[in-house]
């Protein structure tokens, strides 16, 4: 498999400090569009919602201008415990296999998962990861089977759009630890550890943050550019619109498809045309819910003076980010991998379990305004707390029902 070789190059770059760990959103972050949104799923007992509805203190973008996007946070594990838990083939070395549905270098949802896994390997002296990207759903069984034969101990599946063969593969290669960042809610499997998030929660915060900035700028129109009205896209669209209207009901919102069904979030030409049309129609902000096409659209939108945002990636507010992002819409698969890996090594998060990341309870998901005023940050903290309290659960349930109906 020739495409396995790109992990060696990426691992070398990380060792030299040239690649960020969570550069990433499906969410997707997909993010980046791919596979970001999700239906709610049952979580292990230790992920139940807290009674404390106060938003996490770190929902605010960092003011540390010395920080660089090239400085990846370390995820240092107990080496002996990691080898004991994860060394499936007993060769004394832990090797990750990484399966990405989209481009490994999309600068968004897919890249975040890849780089987090490579960074964890680098930080902990694991073996060079093996991996493959741009996996089509029709080829997933073959590609994942090939990956499982590369001497890997852990396989990280980056999105549920390539997870269909996992019921068979997790049984066939039962010694391998299987983990899926299944943002769209893959069914529970005894041989698969999963992380999920709630697309409605995340999209609502994104819409609310966008509303605050559009309102501040005196604008009145927002466009979302996606693939092809997939269910998780519809969920994100509806919840985003709800958050936007919570700020100002008069702000117009439209969705524009730009890809071929299914899962084409990488069509730069079509997405550019959609952006140009949105600008011509007077859009003041754009949500590029895309994968490989995400960063080109962000760059063009920012140059046109529009409010722009990530779709999964959590680190776009960092000082080292090259593009001019206004909002980090965080459902970063790399953050989720970093969050669960310690628990996997400790035996506290095992195959068959599902970890659900929730806005206002866990620090990873949700939108952050990059240069928020104190008033805007206070408003966002209140939204996080409202979501964590369950006050919007009924509305989010209705959105899911509409998005996935039929």
């Amino acid at each position: 498999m020739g495409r396995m070789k790109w992990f060696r190059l990426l691992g070398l770059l990380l060792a030299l400090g040239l690649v960020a760990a969570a550069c990433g959103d499906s969410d997707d972050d997909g993010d980046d569009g791919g596979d970001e949104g999700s239906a709610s799923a049952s979580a292990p007992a230790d992920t139940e919602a807290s009674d404390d509805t106060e938003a996490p203190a770190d929902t605010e973008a960092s003011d540390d201008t010395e920080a660089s996007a090239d400085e990846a946070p370390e995820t240092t594990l107990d080496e002996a415990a990691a080898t004991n838990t994860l060394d499936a083939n007993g060769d004394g070395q832990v090797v990750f296999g990484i399966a990405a549905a989209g481009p490994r270098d999309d600068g968004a949802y897919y890249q975040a998962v890849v780089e987090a896994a490579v960074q964890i390997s680098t930080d902990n002296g694991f073996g060079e990861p093996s991996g493959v990207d741009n996996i089509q759903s029709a080829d997933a069984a073959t590609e994942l089977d090939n990956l499982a034969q590369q001497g890997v101990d852990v396989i990280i599946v980056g999105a549920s759009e390539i997870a269909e063969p996992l019921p068979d593969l997790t049984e066939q290669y039962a010694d391998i630890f299987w983990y899926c960042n299944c943002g769209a809610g893959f069914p529970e499997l005894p041989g698969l550890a999963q992380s999920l998030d709630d697309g409605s929660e995340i999209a609502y915060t994104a819409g609310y943050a966008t509303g605050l900035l559009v309102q501040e700028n005196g604008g009145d129109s927002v466009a979302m550019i996606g693939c092809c009205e997939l269910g998780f896209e519809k969920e994100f669209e509806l919840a985003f619109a709800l958050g936007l209207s919570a700020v100002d009901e008069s702000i117009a919102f439209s969705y524009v498809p730009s890809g071929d069904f299914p899962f084409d979030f990488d069509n730069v030409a079509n997405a550019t045309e959609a952006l140009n049309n949105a600008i011509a129609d007077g859009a003041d902000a754009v949500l590029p819910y895309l994968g490989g096409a995400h960063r080109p659209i962000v760059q063009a939108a920012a140059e046109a003076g529009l409010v722009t945002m990530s779709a999964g990636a959590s680190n776009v507010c960092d000082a080292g980010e090259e593009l001019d992002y206004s909002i980090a819409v965080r459902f970063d698969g790399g953050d989720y991998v970093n969050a669960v890996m310690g628990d996997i090594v400790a035996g506290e998060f095992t195959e068959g379990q599902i970890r659900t990341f929730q806005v206002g309870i866990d620090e990873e998901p949700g939108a952050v305004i990059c240069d928020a005023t104190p008033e805007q940050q206070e408003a966002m903290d209140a939204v996080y707390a409202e979501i964590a309290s369950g006050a919007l659960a009924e509305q989010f349930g209705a959105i899911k029902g509409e998005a996935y109906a039929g």
Side-chain angles (χ1 to χ4, degrees), residues 185-205:
F186 194 73
E188 182 176 339
L189 285 176
L192 179 68
Q194 298 185 57
S195 64
L196 307 176
D197 53 29
D198 190 304
S200 295
E201 293 180 351
I202 297 164
Y204 185 91
T205 66

Side-chain angles (χ1 to χ4, degrees), residues 240-266:
F240 186 100
L242 183 65
L244 191 64
S245 65
V247 176
D248 187 343
E249 293 183 352
S250 69
I251 298 176
F253 178 60
S254 60
Y255 168 87
V256 184
S258 66
D260 296 324
F261 180 87
F263 305 124
D264 178 12
F265 292 88
D266 311 321

Side-chain angles (χ1 to χ4, degrees), residues 64-406:
D64 183 5
T65 56
E66 299 297 321
S68 168
D70 293 334
E71 297 174 0
E74 285 194 8
T75 301
T76 305
L77 307 171
D78 183 313
E79 184 175 353
T83 302
N84 183 60
T85 303
L86 301 178
D87 183 15
N89 56 23
D91 64 357
Q93 187 176 52
V94 176
V95 176
F96 287 161
I98 311 170
R104 65 190 181 277
D105 56 355
D106 70 337
Y109 183 78
Y110 303 119
Q111 184 171 335
V113 176
V114 171
E115 290 190 348
V118 174
Q119 186 68 51
I120 291 171
S121 297
T122 300
D123 292 344
N124 294 278
F126 295 167
E128 291 182 358
S130 294
V132 60
D133 65 344
N134 285 313
I135 300 174
Q136 301 299 308
S137 55
D139 301 326
T142 299
E143 296 284 16
L144 290 173
D145 186 87
N146 288 340
L147 184 59
Q149 297 181 48
Q150 300 300 312
V152 300
D153 303 292
V154 179
I155 290 185
I156 298 172
V157 180
S160 62
E161 66 201 68
I162 56 172
E164 184 177 350
L166 290 182
D168 293 333
L169 291 173
T170 54
E171 290 188 8
Q172 183 178 352
Y173 299 99
D175 289 341
I176 293 175
F177 189 100
W178 292 84
Y179 165 81
C180 182
N181 181 49
C182 289
F186 194 73
E188 182 176 339
L189 285 176
L192 179 68
Q194 298 185 57
S195 64
L196 307 176
D197 53 29
D198 190 304
S200 295
E201 293 180 351
I202 297 164
Y204 185 91
T205 66
Y208 198 93
T210 303
L212 292 176
L213 294 186
V214 169
Q215 187 179 65
E216 178 185 47
N217 296 340
D220 60 6
S221 179
V222 179
M224 172 181 173
I225 302 174
C227 167
C228 39
E229 296 187 294
L230 298 166
F232 57 83
E233 289 185 275
K234 293 178 183 177
E235 179 185 358
F236 210 92
E237 174 190 351
L238 293 169
F240 186 100
L242 183 65
L244 191 64
S245 65
V247 176
D248 187 343
E249 293 183 352
S250 69
I251 298 176
F253 178 60
S254 60
Y255 168 87
V256 184
S258 66
D260 296 324
F261 180 87
F263 305 124
D264 178 12
F265 292 88
D266 311 321
N267 195 319
V268 176
N270 285 358
T272 300
E273 181 180 0
L275 174 64
N276 290 336
N277 290 337
I279 293 173
D281 290 339
D284 302 290
V286 63
L287 164 58
Y289 196 79
L290 300 166
H294 175 79
R295 287 181 69 85
I297 297 307
V298 168
Q299 181 173 359
E303 289 173 353
L306 274 64
V307 171
T308 61
M309 63 205 77
S310 69
S314 65
N315 67 340
V316 299
C317 296
D318 290 356
E321 171 56 54
E322 296 178 355
L323 301 184
D324 186 13
Y325 282 92
S326 309
I327 302 167
V329 182
R330 304 176 305 163
F331 44 95
D332 193 308
D335 290 346
Y336 299 163
V337 171
N338 279 313
V340 303
M341 193 54 62
D343 290 339
I344 290 174
V345 169
E348 296 173 359
F349 181 50
T350 63
E351 289 168 308
Q353 289 187 315
I354 298 174
R355 168 77 185 274
T356 302
F357 290 88
Q358 298 175 282
V359 170
I361 296 171
D362 299 292
E363 66 182 37
E364 290 82 8
V368 171
I369 298 174
C370 292
D371 296 304
T373 65
E375 293 77 16
Q376 289 168 344
Q377 188 58 49
E378 183 179 358
M380 291 302 299
D381 288 343
V383 166
Y384 271 62
E386 182 181 22
I387 292 172
S389 74
L392 299 172
E394 184 174 348
Q395 289 168 281
F396 292 160
I399 283 173
K400 290 176 172 63
E402 180 177 348
Y404 299 102

